[in-house]
């Protein structure tokens, strides 16, 4: 911004990358998470001669392998001595070399796609090859946090047109593994998120797989929610499976409920999330590319996509839901994915429990046809499963729901779930006596009336304060749902925690706002759903 | 982007900040530059109990002081042991505490202004208080790299209206020190940059100060250019002066030529630059806020602002220059700064040398009225100084140039410069025998013709490859300027370097492009300047 910032991009872009210097590799036992760090002693000849700066990006090479890292300068020979080059844990593993190995270090070349990024920052439209180059650099960890954030913010809001969203999706698929199940129909479902307790996948997969359709569901862990499908399934079974094992299970049982992180599907997505999460960004274009690239990479041919709508859901109006639906449909069609979008009721949490153990309990109750099973969870799962079953050419349009219900009611879904649990590796869990947090308190209604609002965001927040998903038994167990009459003093929900501090934080959150509105039946928000 | 990213900002925003745990402070001798890092052993009880994650932001407190830092997890008790909390060098200094002191650590509260940042990301217009909160958080290093970048990109291009630019400028001024010289007229000049060799400040300041006007010039070091004014002045004198010393010198000599970094003027600017530089962003709104906040904080009442225009300058067309001028004028007027914008010829480098020693030589030649002095540098400096002198109510409009010329020709400017050099601390320099890089090569014209283009960007790049500004004697010495006739084989410029590798990089850059176009006189680009 001052006179000195004069000379633009190209200076940095052609900064020499060839100044090599030989050092002895040392593993520095510092875990810097996704960020590679290299450590160099300040008195090291290389550091002085080459004019590296703290925080500049360097490339460390040995035996044809290389990693990019951010440089930290060290004044303690106990950490790295002169003549040594230290690498943080992740960087050391990425380089895949031994300690004491000779390595060379050079100023890193800027990522090849930096020109495309700059054009996007300048408001230009990007071509497929631009987005390919950007996604490749992101996948290879060539982007710094600054560059990553610039990309995410520059493609935020309406900054990507639908053609660019398609290109981004395609580039993200190409950047990772792509599974091929060698079958004409591979079905999956996905929800754009935002609704606590919405664990339909754990019902839909056993139903659909019991019918004989291929449904290899990989799911994620909670990032900012109180539980992801992977966290909840992990209460019942192992979910971190090697990709070969996962494929065996799918072949044998027609389905699985595993964590997707091991499969390297659309790996750029995981890197982008590391920036999107702290900024709580969830732009339509990025959402579409993220979800569809994962599904296509996972080999899905048919996808049922759930867009919940409600005052505290991600999507709050029907026009917004329709815009999002059209964008999903445009990209899916061009990527040859058969997509069925359903717009569902997102006015309140689904089911009764919020938190891994509580949600696992709800799921098992539905599978066992337990009279205490939450009807809304059962109903939603059956409708989603019904839609998926109708991808089977032998199922007539409109018959899916009844078939799904038969599979569930007959116990075949439960049987399939038990097969999947055994195949993945059963964990001890008794849903009749679930191990809930040992501390708890109830939140009560103040005044008489009808429950006419439940804030998804606040309930999720309370469950997280209580310790979910890290503390598996922590969370919120709902006693009243929308439309139910309550009287002053009735319990609205119970909060479970394992640690006094967690309990206290959750209690404070409840005091600020219980998340419940009690009023008249006519005050309930209306939503028009397409389902 | 998946189901798990459901719960938005507020979850993070109300994450409990109160979980305190007592640890013993340890200084970790790692220099992480502007980024504070805290180190905690993986087996440390606090780490396990509190669920911190690598790279999460923590707040470290002791005796009422606190710092925010990014957490790194350590598996080497030699770096930090269980029960210890390590801080990187800068963080340790900021906390200002002793080793072995008891400190507490907690999850950091998100910056207070994060809501305002999110609204900007959502495309909203921000109010003065929003920008005050954001700038305060930036100044206090409460923003992560991700948040900083999000702000810079979200306010890039036309995303700030002129009212917001005003608010940002005002907030940036308020966030730092503000000098008050207790005089009605404090004059300054500034160039938006982009033109190598443009060292007019080192001529303008002695001329204006010799006339008796107050001209306390603080300048910056090169960031991406081959030399900043501070780098060039440092060839002749000390430039890193404590603020009290600087004030004494100004009081006594009516001017100074010091580095501005010690004065804490508009400190948010320095933080923002750390993100803008790697992205090479230079959006109009950010440029105006950056430049004007620094000048207003430095106590200037009158500013002459130089906007060079040319095919390889920052501003490439007159309409663009006029738009930028109007934005500068709008904000300056509202901030009660008297602003005189001049639009100058930016088609080629100014003067002969590019690089600290070469530019210092040019400046001294002009001051000494040496026949080898570059006339364009002399001429531009006199015109700028003339404009500044006309801020003196005793100087009639149009007389400034002649007064400036008299001051220069009479040797009074040289005398003043020597006074300033002595006051700041003279460094040995003989501009008749400047210490240039010991290696050099010439670049020659291919074919006969007129120099009809000199690429500012390429010449700056070559000078940087040769080692400038770090290697003070490195750079480029021009032999031919625009409009001059050259014959095949004539030297166009000489490149100086100190190290063989630097020389080689510069040579490769010259081979890719010499930066010179030789053609017909009528091929020279035309610019219409307002000066």
């Amino acid at each position: 911004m001052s006179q000195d910032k004069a000379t633009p991009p190209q200076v940095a872009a052609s900064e020499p990358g060839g100044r090599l210097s030989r050092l002895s590799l040392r593993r520095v036992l510092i875990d810097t998470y996704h960020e590679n760090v290299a450590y160099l002693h300040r008195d090291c000849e290389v550091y002085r001669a080459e004019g590296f700066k703290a925080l500049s990006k360097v490339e460390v090479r040995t035996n044809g392998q290389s990693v990019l890292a951010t440089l930290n300068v060290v004044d303690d020979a106990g950490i790295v001595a002169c003549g040594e080059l230290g690498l943080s844990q992740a960087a050391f593993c990425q380089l895949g070399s031994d300690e004491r190995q000779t390595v060379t270090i050079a100023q890193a070349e800027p990522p090849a796609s930096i020109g495309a990024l700059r054009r996007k920052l300048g408001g230009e439209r990007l071509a497929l090859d631009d987005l390919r180059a950007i996604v490749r650099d992101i996948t290879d960890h060539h982007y710094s946090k600054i560059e990553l954030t610039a990309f995410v913010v520059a493609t935020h809001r309406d900054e990507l047109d639908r053609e660019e969203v398609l290109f981004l999706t395609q580039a993200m698929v190409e950047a990772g593994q792509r599974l091929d199940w060698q079958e004409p129909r591979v079905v999956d479902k996905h929800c754009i998120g935002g609704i606590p307790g919405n664990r339909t996948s754990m019902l839909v997969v056993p139903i659909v797989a019991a019918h004989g359709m291929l449904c290899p569901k990989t799911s994620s862990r909670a990032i900012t929610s109180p539980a992801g499908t992977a966290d909840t399934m992990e209460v019942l079974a192992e979910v971190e499976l090697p990709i070969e094992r996962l494929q065996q299970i799918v072949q044998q049982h027609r389905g699985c409920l595993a964590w997707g992180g091991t499969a390297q599907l659309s790996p750029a997505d995981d890197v982008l999330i590391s920036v999107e999460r702290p900024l709580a960004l969830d732009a339509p274009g990025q959402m579409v590319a993220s979800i569809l690239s994962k599904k296509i990479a996972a080999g899905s041919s048919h996808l049922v996509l759930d867009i919940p709508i409600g005052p505290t859901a991600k999507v709050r109006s029907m026009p917004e839901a329709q815009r999002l639906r059209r964008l999903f449909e445009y990209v899916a069609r061009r990527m040859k994915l058969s997509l069925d979008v359903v717009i569902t009721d997102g006015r309140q949490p689904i089911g009764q429990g919020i938190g891994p153990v509580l949600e696992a309990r709800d799921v098992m109750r539905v599978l066992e046809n337990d009279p205490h099973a939450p009807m809304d969870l059962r109903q939603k799962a059956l409708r989603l499963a019904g839609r998926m079953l109708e991808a089977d050419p032998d199922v007539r349009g409109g018959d899916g729901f009844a078939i799904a219900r038969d599979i569930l009611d007959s116990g075949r879904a439960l049987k399939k779930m038990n097969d999947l649990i055994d195949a993945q590796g059963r964990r001890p869990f008794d849903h009749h006596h679930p191990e809930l947090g040992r501390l708890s308190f109830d939140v009560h209604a103040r005044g008489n009336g009808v429950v006419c609002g439940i804030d998804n965001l606040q309930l999720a927040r309370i469950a997280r304060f209580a310790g979910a998903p890290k503390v598996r038994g922590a969370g919120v167990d709902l006693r009243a749902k929308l439309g139910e009459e309550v009287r002053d003093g009735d319990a609205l929900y119970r909060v479970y925690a394992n640690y006094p501090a967690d309990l206290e934080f959750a209690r404070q959150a409840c005091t600020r706002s219980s998340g419940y509105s009690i009023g008249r039946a006519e005050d309930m928000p209306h939503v028009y759903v397409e389902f």
Side-chain angles (χ1 to χ4, degrees), chain A:
Chain A
M1 290 205 161
S2 68
Q3 183 150 358
D4 311 302
K5 290 182 59 195
T7 359
Q10 297 87 330
V11 167
S14 28
E15 204 72 67
R19 315 184 182 194
L20 301 179
S21 307
R22 304 171 79 76
L23 295 159
S24 168
L25 180 61
R26 178 163 173 177
R27 176 181 204 145
V28 176
L29 296 178
I30 296 181
D31 173 7
T32 53
Y33 197 54
H34 272 157
E35 194 152 345
N36 290 340
V37 177
Y39 301 89
L40 210 53
H41 198 282
R42 191 182 303 277
D43 296 331
C44 181
E45 208 179 299
V46 176
Y47 171 66
R48 285 181 309 168
E50 300 299 353
F52 294 126
K53 268 191 184 166
L55 287 202
S56 65
K57 235 190 312 184
V58 294
E59 183 169 5
V60 179
R61 282 185 224 149
T62 185
N63 295 331
Q65 290 296 103
S66 75
V67 290
L68 292 175
T70 300
L71 185 63
N72 280 191
V73 182
V74 174
D75 293 284
D76 177 351
I79 299 171
V80 280
C82 295
E84 289 183 330
L85 175 99
L87 282 182
S88 62
Q89 311 241 48
F92 184 87
C93 295
Q94 268 179 52
L95 190 60
S97 187
D98 296 325
E99 277 207 300
R100 305 286 128 220
Q101 192 76 31
T102 301
V103 296
T104 60
I105 174 172
Q107 300 271 15
E109 297 277 351
S113 65
I114 206 81
L117 172 61
R118 291 232 173 78
R119 278 185 281 121
K120 189 74 226 173
L121 287 171
E124 286 182 41
R125 188 171 166 286
L126 296 184
L128 176 57
D129 281 342
D130 294 325
L131 283 159
R132 274 191 178 129
I134 289 175
V135 168
R136 197 176 312 118
D137 277 332
I138 290 174
T139 307
D140 295 344
H141 298 275
H142 285 184
Y143 267 25
S144 67
K145 280 263 175 300
I146 291 173
E147 288 151 352
L148 267 182
T149 309
F151 176 71
V152 165
V153 175
T155 57
H156 182 56
R157 290 199 291 144
D158 304 321
E159 303 280 0
L160 285 182
D161 66 24
R162 64 185 196 173
E163 211 64 16
E164 286 176 294
V165 177
L166 168 67
F167 296 157
L168 179 59
T169 308
Q170 193 173 336
M172 285 171 75
V173 171
E174 289 169 0
Q177 282 202 51
R178 188 163 177 176
L179 305 181
D180 183 354
W181 300 98
Q182 311 277 350
E183 297 210 11
R185 261 171 306 284
V186 180
V187 296
D188 203 347
K189 71 152 280 280
H190 193 84
C191 175
I192 67 158
I195 311 298
N198 191 18
R199 284 288 82 75
T200 53
S201 291
M202 288 171 67
L203 297 164
V204 161
V205 171
I207 292 171
V208 172
H211 177 78
M213 293 181 88
L214 200 69
C215 189
K217 174 82 185 158
T218 54
S219 47
S220 52
R221 294 189 180 281
I223 299 177
T224 60
S225 76
T229 294
D231 302 300
T232 305
M233 186 66 188
E234 206 172 29
V235 172
L236 310 174
E238 301 301 323
V239 295
E240 297 199 7
L241 307 173
I243 180 78
E244 303 74 27
R245 179 87 196 96
L246 194 145
Q247 280 172 314
Q248 280 172 1
I249 294 173
V250 170
Q251 236 98 57
Q252 192 181 347
H253 299 283
R254 308 297 289 163
C256 69
L257 278 159
W259 177 59
T262 44
Q264 279 289 303
L265 307 174
S266 188
D269 190 44
D270 303 329
V271 183
L272 287 171
I273 281 178
S274 72
V275 164
E276 290 159 359
R277 178 191 40 174
L279 294 172
L281 290 180
D282 220 345
Q286 291 165 357
M287 187 195 286
V288 169
S290 165
I291 291 174
L292 293 188
S293 67
K294 283 268 192 224
K295 294 300 162 188
I296 293 163
S300 302
S301 65
H302 290 71
L303 176 67
V304 174
L305 184 83
D306 173 11
I307 301 182
I309 176 173
T312 56
K314 277 191 188 180
V315 173
R316 303 192 174 188
S317 75
M318 188 50 93
E320 198 186 331
Q322 295 292 0
R323 258 199 313 279
L324 189 56
R325 178 175 68 71
R326 282 191 296 271
L327 186 56
F328 268 110
E329 287 171 348
Y330 177 81
V331 175
R333 181 195 308 255
R334 296 284 299 271
M335 296 295 293
K336 302 197 177 4
L337 172 73
S338 171
L339 178 69
D340 196 2
V341 174
V342 294
I343 295 174
T344 63
D345 181 355
R347 289 175 298 173
Q348 62 177 339
I350 300 289
Q352 190 183 331
I354 302 170
V357 166
L358 286 160
E359 295 180 30
R361 177 204 63 190
D362 282 2
V363 164
M364 291 312 295
R365 280 181 176 171
V366 172
L367 285 170
E368 297 206 340
N369 298 304
D370 185 314
H372 295 106
M375 280 310 290
D376 60 339
L377 177 62
R378 173 187 155 97
Q379 207 60 12
K380 185 169 179 181
L382 288 177
R383 293 172 84 169
L384 289 169
R387 287 289 187 115
M388 291 165 77
L389 292 176
E390 290 177 19
D392 179 351
D394 295 337
V395 173
R396 289 155 60 115
D399 283 357
F401 183 86
I403 298 173
R405 194 183 49 206
D406 284 350
I407 294 174
L408 182 61
D409 289 350
S410 66
R412 285 163 60 207
L414 175 63
K415 164 87 175 57
K416 178 58 77 176
M417 183 63 156
N418 277 319
D419 290 348
L420 293 180
I421 289 173
D422 287 332
Q424 294 186 197
R426 182 178 290 275
R427 291 188 160 200
F429 178 73
D430 175 1
H431 72 273
H432 297 293
H433 304 282
E435 262 191 72
L436 297 172
R438 57 194 167 81
L439 308 171
S440 70
F441 65 87
D442 283 357
V443 172
H444 303 279
R446 294 197 187 155
N448 305 325
V450 168
V451 176
C452 59
I454 304 183
D455 184 333
N456 290 311
L457 301 173
Q458 182 65 4
L459 270 298
R461 200 174 295 141
I462 291 165
R464 283 191 57 103
F465 281 164
K470 207 180 148 82
V471 179
R472 306 219 162 273
V476 174
D477 206 18
L478 306 183
R479 298 276 192 264
K481 302 286 292 267
L482 275 188
E484 285 182 39
E485 273 209 30
V486 292
R487 303 184 62 82
D488 188 62
D490 282 358
L492 297 173
Y493 54 88
R494 178 168 292 176
V495 177
Y496 291 96
N498 240 345
Y499 301 103
D502 290 346
L503 195 78
E504 190 47 36
F505 286 123
R507 199 193 302 271
Q508 285 168 14
C510 292
T511 308
R512 285 194 293 274
S513 162
S514 72
Y516 270 65
S517 312
I518 312 292
R520 297 168 310 165
E522 55 267 42
D523 298 333
M524 277 211 297
H526 292 279
V527 290
Y528 301 93
V529 298
E530 285 188 352
F531 192 30

